[in-house]
Amino acid sequence: MYKNKINILILLFTVLLFGCDDFLDKQPEDKLSPDVYYNNVDELKTGLAGCYKVLQEVYDYDGGMYENIEMASDDGKDRYMVDAIHTFKKTNANSASRVWQDNYLMIYRCNVLLGILDSYISEDNAEILEVDAMKGECYFLRGLAYMNLVRTYGDVPKVVSVFGDPSDAFGIGRTQVSEIYSDIIIPDFTKAVAMCFEKGASQLSGEEARAHKGSALMGLAKAQMEIRDYSAAEATLKRMIVDKEVGEYGLMDNLTEVFDPANKFGKESLFEVNFNVAAGQPSWYFRNMTNDISYVIGTTYTNVFMVTHDYLQELHDAGDFERLDLSVDSGYVEGATPEYQAFPKKMAPDRAGRVAVKDLGTDYNFIVFRYADALLMYAECLMNNGKTSDAIPYVNMVRERSNATPLAADFNLDIYRILHERRAELAFECHRFWDLKRTGKAVEIISEALMTVTGEDYGQEDQPIEPYQLLFPIPTAEIQKDQTLPQNAGY
């Protein structure tokens, strides 16, 4: 009986993580405890699935990191442009508490599973490789979670083991961002590169949602760029792009193909969060539109955020028409206020397709890392390292995919142009705000967007944003539980 129950759990968790169109059952409760005994690798995978499952909450379209980070950028806005996150007038009430809770839940589960994997005795070489790969994936997920946290809140509690008594977690305070990067994020991604399987490995057949060496290299390069170690990041990205150390990656023919569920885990994908209707884990990103346009289309659901006219204007003025068209629907509603209520088209079916799935959800994955991002990161590193002429071909690889005119070989590439290329290519993929922050341009560019009337954007501000607002406040509930967590300055 016990073995039968374990086998059922393995099936359910495997479908949850990796997807199966024929699976129609409900998911089980996803508990992961250090007291659970695992008899074999298949049972260990149920624990691994519990770690991955949190990603669906981290990158949830409504109330999770996606909504809050997009609203904080100059790409997303609320209808009347009064939202405290969008206008950078946050108070303690605007802490995006789910970002904190979801990422720390993933950290906890990874810490638990790492302890279990460390004590597991493998029976043969194949199991040794599998267990090592699962450890690597835990390191990858933990590194990703910590990077999400420090980019959002700054200094955060440093937790890399499971406490015997939950009360032991209180009183550890907040650890400086630099130490989180040096002691956790960079080492975790580095270990993940060494331990994960390569994309396309036979061990990942049917389990493509698992992180692989390319995922980990990308995480490592992003972390290195966050601390502005462009030399290290250049070397890391070279291993992927030039040396092909972790397999072959490439660009899909157009942006639509990148996000099409038929192309899940395709050649451009470096890491994506799996959503699957049949497994009871649908994606709801297609609901992201205002009341007005949703009623016109027939989906009848409210929005999370709208697309700023500042974004529309920048791409239009740059002649970046294909990327604009494939990323955004103008959301025109005659007589509405405003008449153009643009919404993201990525990770969603076309207008007609949205009506059919309005109560069912879709299989569209959330792509966390992709190859176009890596190419633009590599170009940015080369530029920052004084190799501008070497950088331009990598920018052009991404531009030419969308039929944009290539930059000339002697083009004066600078950080503003890099930020434009990243905005045009990666909009609404949870990059823009953090790109502006890590390059030191957030106050300048976001302030200009908020202080300028563009198209039908209104409610503009008359003062630049305060730099302290680039960090979110620590959730009040966390401070109430642990008085050693001081609030961020300004809140």
Side-chain angles (χ1 to χ4, degrees):
M1 179 64 71
Y2 171 76
K3 281 292 183 181
N4 287 338
K5 288 181 179 179
I6 285 294
N7 289 336
I8 291 171
L9 286 174
I10 291 168
L11 172 62
L12 292 173
F13 272 117
T14 301
V15 171
L16 173 66
L17 177 56
F18 309 122
C20 173
D21 291 337
D22 297 327
F23 177 70
L24 299 175
D25 267 325
K26 294 181 180 179
Q27 68 186 60
E29 292 186 358
D30 53 311
K31 306 295 184 184
L32 184 59
S33 167
D35 298 323
V36 173
Y37 182 75
Y38 294 88
N39 297 294
N40 54 52
V41 166
D42 285 336
E43 292 177 15
L44 288 169
K45 285 183 181 179
T46 66
L48 182 64
C51 298
Y52 277 99
K53 184 183 181 301
V54 189
L55 288 168
Q56 294 175 333
E57 301 300 322
V58 172
Y59 292 96
D60 180 25
Y61 92 109
D62 187 5
M65 193 170 68
Y66 175 78
E67 174 191 357
N68 288 289
I69 298 306
E70 290 296 349
M71 189 70 82
S73 77
D74 54 346
D75 288 350
K77 66 174 184 177
D78 60 299
R79 181 170 181 170
Y80 298 109
M81 298 185 68
V82 295
D83 183 272
I85 293 176
H86 173 70
T87 59
F88 284 80
K89 295 181 178 179
K90 297 187 295 297
T91 67
N92 289 359
N94 309 113
S95 63
S97 59
R98 277 190 49 196
V99 177
W100 181 284
Q101 294 162 3
D102 293 340
N103 280 286
Y104 267 113
L105 176 59
M106 188 157 66
I107 289 167
Y108 167 77
R109 291 187 179 179
C110 289
N111 286 341
V112 170
L113 188 56
L114 282 168
I116 292 169
L117 291 167
D118 281 341
S119 62
Y120 182 80
I121 301 175
S122 300
E123 294 185 355
D124 52 35
N125 287 337
E127 279 203 352
I128 290 173
L129 290 174
E130 186 65 68
V131 169
D132 279 351
M134 285 191 275
K135 288 181 183 178
E137 292 167 65
C138 287
Y139 288 127
F140 169 79
L141 294 173
R142 189 172 71 178
L144 179 63
Y146 265 113
M147 191 159 65
N148 290 338
L149 287 166
V150 296
R151 290 189 294 186
T152 306
Y153 300 105
D155 301 346
V156 295
K158 177 182 176 182
V159 184
V160 292
S161 60
V162 179
F163 295 106
D165 185 328
S167 64
D168 292 339
F170 300 119
I172 61 176
R174 298 170 65 184
T175 299
Q176 290 186 347
V177 170
S178 59
E179 186 175 332
I180 297 292
Y181 272 104
S182 65
D183 289 6
I184 303 176
I185 299 174
I186 299 291
D188 276 5
F189 283 139
T190 300
K191 285 182 279 192
V193 173
M195 302 174 81
C196 287
F197 291 124
E198 188 174 307
K199 183 176 181 177
S202 60
Q203 294 93 336
L204 298 183
S205 178
E207 301 178 357
E208 287 81 4
R210 295 170 62 182
H212 46 79
K213 290 183 182 295
S215 314
L217 265 185
M218 188 66 163
L220 178 59
K222 280 195 174 289
Q224 290 163 336
M225 291 179 73
E226 285 286 338
I227 60 174
R228 302 190 183 187
D229 188 349
Y230 294 109
S231 294
E234 177 189 333
T236 297
L237 290 163
K238 179 177 179 291
R239 294 167 62 186
M240 177 194 301
I241 296 168
V242 178
D243 301 336
K244 310 291 185 183
E245 181 182 312
V246 293
E248 286 285 341
Y249 296 92
L251 298 175
M252 303 295 285
D253 290 340
N254 61 60
L255 274 177
T256 302
E257 289 186 356
V258 173
F259 301 96
D260 189 334
N263 300 323
K264 285 188 177 189
F265 316 113
K267 64 180 180 179
E268 189 163 338
S269 172
L270 285 162
F271 185 67
E272 53 191 273
V273 180
N274 196 40
F275 288 91
N276 186 285
V277 173
Q281 291 293 313
S283 166
W284 301 108
Y285 292 94
F286 68 92
R287 290 183 175 179
N288 190 26
M289 57 182 69
T290 63
N291 283 341
D292 292 338
I293 190 64
S294 70
Y295 278 107
V296 168
I297 294 174
T299 56
T300 63
Y301 285 104
T302 57
N303 71 305
V304 176
F305 64 84
M306 295 169 59
V307 177
T308 66
H309 289 207
D310 177 83
Y311 168 85
L312 303 177
Q313 192 71 53
E314 179 175 321
L315 267 68
H316 181 273
D317 291 350
D320 220 325
F321 300 117
E322 182 166 315
R323 284 193 285 195
L324 177 60
D325 180 62
L326 293 178
S327 299
V328 173
D329 187 304
S330 67
Y332 178 72
V333 184
E334 185 177 0
T337 303
E339 286 194 308
Y340 288 94
Q341 301 179 9
F343 58 90
K345 290 166 62 174
K346 291 178 177 178
M347 297 178 285
D350 60 20
R351 286 189 175 201
R354 293 174 192 235
V355 177
V357 299
K358 68 175 186 176
D359 297 317
L360 300 174
T362 75
D363 289 332
Y364 279 79
N365 283 359
F366 187 93
I367 298 182
V368 180
F369 299 149
R370 60 186 175 97
Y371 192 61
D373 186 5
L375 292 172
L376 293 175
M377 287 165 59
Y378 192 44
E380 182 179 341
C381 290
L382 289 167
M383 180 199 72
N384 279 309
N385 293 332
K387 306 172 186 177
T388 301
S389 60
D390 293 336
I392 289 175
Y394 296 101
V395 175
N396 284 339
M397 287 174 66
V398 180
R399 288 180 59 80
E400 289 169 0
R401 189 259 293 277
S402 295
N403 297 311
T405 303
L407 303 181
D410 59 352
F411 185 85
N412 185 25
L413 190 66
D414 61 14
I415 193 58
Y416 294 100
R417 185 63 193 214
I418 288 287
L419 286 170
H420 165 76
E421 295 297 334
R422 293 186 59 77
R423 188 183 199 188
E425 177 68 26
L426 302 166
F428 318 112
E429 297 177 45
C430 219
H431 295 294
R432 175 67 173 177
F433 176 59
W434 286 327
D435 283 346
L436 295 176
K437 276 187 64 177
R438 68 174 174 76
T439 57
K441 301 300 181 184
V443 171
E444 172 192 343
I445 290 176
I446 295 174
S447 294
E448 181 179 358
L450 289 174
M451 296 171 67
T452 305
V453 177
T454 304
E456 294 182 290
D457 283 354
Y458 53 94
Q460 74 276 14
E461 302 299 314
D462 58 5
Q463 296 290 329
I465 65 174
E466 295 282 355
Y468 81 86
Q469 285 273 327
L470 296 179
L471 290 177
F472 280 65
I474 303 298
T476 302
E478 303 302 325
I479 295 175
Q480 290 173 342
K481 288 185 289 187
D482 185 356
Q483 298 298 313
T484 66
L485 296 177
Q487 184 56 274
N488 279 326
Y491 293 105

